[in-house]
Amino acid sequence: MNLFLQILLIVASLLLILLVLLHRGRGGGLSSLFGGGMQSSLSGSSVVEKNLDRITLFVSAVWIISIIGIGLLTKLGG
Amino acid sequence: MLGAFRSALATPDLRRKILFTLGIMALYRLGSHVPSPGVNFANVQQCVSQQDQSGGIYGLISLFSGGALLQLSVFSLGILPYITASIIIQLLTVVIPRFEQLKKEGQSGQNKLTQYTRYLTVALAILQSTGIVALAVRGQLFQGCAVQPIPNQDVFTLAVIVITMTAGTAMIMWFGELITERGIGNGMSILMFTSIAARIPTEGQNILSNSGGLVFAVICVLGLLIIGFVIFLEQAQRRIPVQYAKRMIGRRMYGGTSTYLPLKVNQAGVIPVIFASSLLYLPQLIISLTQGSAVDGSWQQFVQTYIVDPSSYGHIALYFALIIFFTYFYVAITFNPDERADEMRKFGGFIPGIRPGRPTAEYLSFVLNRITLPGSLYLGLIAVLPSFFLSITGPGGQNNNFPFGGTAVLIMVGVGLDTIKQIESQLMQRNYEGFLR
């Protein structure tokens, strides 16, 4: 069970990293940090972005559940 | 003031944004307390209570992660990898011609740079999480702690921890971008603000229980004074008058207005402080890597006493000098007088009494150089303030990143002002009285 959760966690982590990197980066860079100019993101999110958001949310839910699961197993087992 | 709060919450659009931001902040704090899989929570707690909360090698990282680092939680790296990656990319735009070209390209080039920053963030996150796990396993993260924070030390478990922490960093990055996109303010700085602000109650309690009520009250008053001072200087600007000539375009009349070019006293924000403290963190890292050979009279001993120890005068002087250097450096990167003068000339603007073109550029850089000097001195002073407290209270002081002085206050005030300004501009669109007058 523990091994299964760990493998699930690894898969979810890798997917999560991949999905986050797939997002269109916004508001990055130091230029806008700390009192830089205001940038307005007028471009609305496209359908692709919306679906990506949903998938990312789903994967992060799996990620969190497996972390909590492993935590519970360690606590109950040890 | 309170009325402004009410009207901010009464606007449905703005209310949604503010609540969204608050929700993400709550999630971020929650994640900072979830222990990584394979980490024994009870053991870690025991070790943390033995250690100084903020001292040690990882003062800076632990400041930026809101104390999550020492708990080895899933978000233990915080946004530091993102910050480091941004700094590196920002510096590389000066060095690598391709990056400079991208930066000048405008929005699309900027997007590409952001994408590079994100890749670099993940790479750095892998590096740093590996480093932290290695330190924890070798018992260097918690020196002199009897119990093991990670009981099961086979490679597979450790790999799971590293991957989880990296994914956590990626998730924080996503959080930041979500805030920037749908919430209020710049996500990265808001998250940084959250983790710094989260430490204040703990630190305050430490001071209260260690030094008693009187010292606590004095420190609170001092902290408020420093915050007021920082706000005053962050808002300070020199306004250079600019006169625009009247122009006819078609049948319309344009220009003819007189406006001003604001030059902030502290044009560089808190970036110099972050750069300087990241650089000063290097000798500490080297020392901790070569530890074991620290005999009396060795170079490690020398570095330890004169550079690493935050209460030594060598450290204070070096930090101060680095901040002044980086202030000038960063202002030189971000504000180009030649470009500004060119722009002004293109739109028919001039500074009264100064010819457009090269003389204007020279005048601008002259004023900028002059005004950056007090700005850099102020940044340096605020940043080394806690170190001075340490050297007054004697060596062995523990509160390296004293929350009411130094980097923490600069970041908090900077981010706070920025966010308030954004809320205010949103309010202005609906004609409400804002927070700042």
Side-chain angles (χ1 to χ4, degrees):
Chain A
M1 187 62 188
N2 202 356
L3 190 68
F4 168 72
L5 276 178
Q6 276 178 334
I7 290 170
L8 186 68
L9 180 58
I10 289 180
V11 173
S13 300
L14 291 179
L15 266 181
L16 190 61
I17 295 171
L18 199 74
L19 284 172
V20 168
L21 284 183
L22 272 179
H23 275 93
R24 205 145 39 98
R26 242 172 292 229
L30 273 180
S31 49
S32 57
L33 190 63
F34 315 123
M38 288 224 321
Q39 84 268 56
S40 53
S41 51
L42 286 176
S43 53
S45 50
S46 58
V47 182
V48 183
E49 283 279 313
K50 248 180 211 162
N51 283 334
L52 206 53
D53 275 353
R54 264 183 220 139
I55 300 172
T56 318
L57 267 183
F58 175 71
V59 172
S60 47
V62 172
W63 186 68
I64 288 170
I65 288 171
S66 47
I67 285 174
I68 293 176
I70 292 177
L72 282 180
L73 277 185
T74 357
K75 192 158 170 96
L76 295 179
Chain B
M1 184 72 196
L2 282 177
F5 268 114
R6 206 177 49 233
S7 53
L9 287 179
T11 323
D13 187 30
L14 201 53
R15 181 177 56 217
R16 213 177 44 237
K17 281 184 172 174
I18 291 176
L19 287 183
F20 182 81
T21 310
L22 287 178
I24 293 271
M25 280 158 79
L27 272 183
Y28 172 62
R29 282 309 297 161
L30 201 69
S32 308
H33 287 285
V34 176
S36 300
V39 170
N40 190 321
F41 189 62
N43 288 5
V44 167
Q45 287 302 322
Q46 196 183 332
C47 286
V48 167
S49 61
Q50 273 179 25
Q51 298 281 315
D52 267 329
Q53 261 290 321
S54 49
I57 320 165
Y58 290 102
L60 181 72
I61 303 186
S62 130
L63 176 76
F64 283 138
S65 67
L69 173 84
L70 286 179
Q71 300 195 353
L72 292 174
S73 72
V74 285
F75 284 174
S76 56
L77 294 180
I79 32 165
L80 198 68
Y82 200 11
I83 297 174
T84 325
S86 310
I87 291 178
I88 291 174
I89 294 283
Q90 194 78 13
L91 283 179
L92 283 185
T93 53
V94 187
V95 184
I96 299 180
R98 158 132 180 85
F99 280 22
E100 197 182 351
Q101 211 181 336
L102 276 178
K103 196 182 174 190
K104 280 192 181 140
E105 230 167 60
Q107 198 56 46
S108 66
Q110 202 67 47
N111 281 349
K112 216 164 214 169
L113 277 183
T114 310
Q115 204 59 32
Y116 289 155
T117 312
R118 289 149 57 86
Y119 293 144
L120 191 61
T121 306
V122 171
L124 283 176
I126 295 173
L127 254 174
Q128 287 188 6
S129 53
T130 317
I132 284 168
V133 169
L135 277 179
V137 168
R138 281 193 295 174
Q140 280 180 347
L141 190 60
F142 307 104
Q143 272 162 6
C145 186
V147 289
Q148 266 297 340
I150 306 171
N152 183 7
Q153 292 191 351
D154 57 44
V155 178
F156 184 65
T157 316
L158 298 184
V160 168
I161 298 179
V162 168
I163 290 178
T164 312
M165 280 183 178
T166 312
T169 310
M171 205 162 158
I172 292 173
M173 194 161 76
W174 188 49
F175 278 175
E177 280 159 9
L178 276 181
I179 291 183
T180 312
E181 196 184 330
R182 289 188 206 154
I184 210 103
N186 179 302
M188 195 157 126
S189 36
I190 294 254
L191 289 183
M192 195 146 68
F193 176 88
T194 313
S195 47
I196 292 174
R199 286 170 60 88
I200 287 186
T202 339
E203 296 276 341
Q205 203 184 11
N206 272 353
I207 294 172
L208 188 61
S209 60
N210 286 347
S211 325
L214 185 66
V215 177
F216 181 69
V218 168
I219 284 179
C220 278
V221 171
L222 263 181
L224 283 180
L225 279 181
I226 292 174
I227 288 176
F229 180 65
V230 170
I231 291 177
F232 178 71
L233 273 170
E234 287 287 329
Q235 297 286 77
Q237 56 189 18
R238 161 97 189 254
R239 295 179 171 177
I240 296 179
V242 179
Q243 182 76 40
Y244 280 95
K246 277 203 177 112
R247 295 193 300 170
M248 290 285 275
I249 299 175
R251 292 172 48 205
R252 284 272 194 77
M253 186 87 111
Y254 285 100
T257 49
S258 84
T259 163
Y260 55 84
L261 182 69
L263 289 182
K264 281 171 80 179
V265 171
N266 176 22
Q267 190 92 1
V270 287
I271 292 163
V273 180
I274 295 180
F275 276 30
S277 42
S278 320
L279 256 192
L280 269 185
Y281 159 69
L282 281 183
Q284 289 177 330
L285 191 72
I286 292 170
I287 284 217
S288 73
L289 285 181
T290 58
Q291 212 153 37
S293 52
V295 243
D296 269 354
S298 66
W299 62 270
Q300 281 105 337
Q301 185 86 21
F302 177 80
V303 172
Q304 177 73 38
T305 347
Y306 290 105
I307 297 178
V308 173
D309 181 14
S311 63
S312 75
Y313 286 105
H315 176 94
I316 295 177
L318 196 64
Y319 196 23
F320 197 72
L322 274 177
I323 286 175
I324 289 179
F325 169 74
F326 275 125
T327 313
Y328 273 95
F329 178 76
Y330 199 73
V331 168
I333 288 183
T334 50
F335 189 94
N336 189 345
D338 288 326
E339 242 167 52
R340 228 24 100 81
D342 239 29
E343 245 167 52
M344 243 153 59
R345 193 174 55 177
K346 238 184 250 166
F347 293 103
F350 61 92
I351 301 168
I354 288 153
R355 295 170 57 130
R358 216 168 56 115
T360 304
E362 275 166 9
Y363 176 71
L364 281 183
S365 68
F366 171 74
V367 172
L368 196 65
N369 275 337
R370 284 261 190 114
I371 208 170
T372 305
L373 182 67
S376 60
L377 286 179
Y378 133 80
L379 268 187
L381 265 183
I382 295 279
V384 298
L385 210 58
S387 304
F388 265 121
F389 272 122
L390 285 185
S391 61
I392 288 171
T393 53
Q398 68 278 54
N399 287 328
N400 192 359
N401 289 301
F402 176 60
F404 298 113
T407 324
V409 162
L410 283 173
I411 292 174
M412 283 198 314
V413 171
V415 175
L417 277 179
D418 213 33
T419 311
I420 292 276
K421 269 183 199 153
Q422 284 209 15
I423 296 179
E424 185 171 69
S425 73
Q426 295 259 344
L427 277 178
M428 283 296 219
Q429 289 176 353
R430 297 173 184 80
N431 254 337
Y432 285 130
E433 193 98 331
F435 295 99
L436 303 170
R437 273 148 223 228

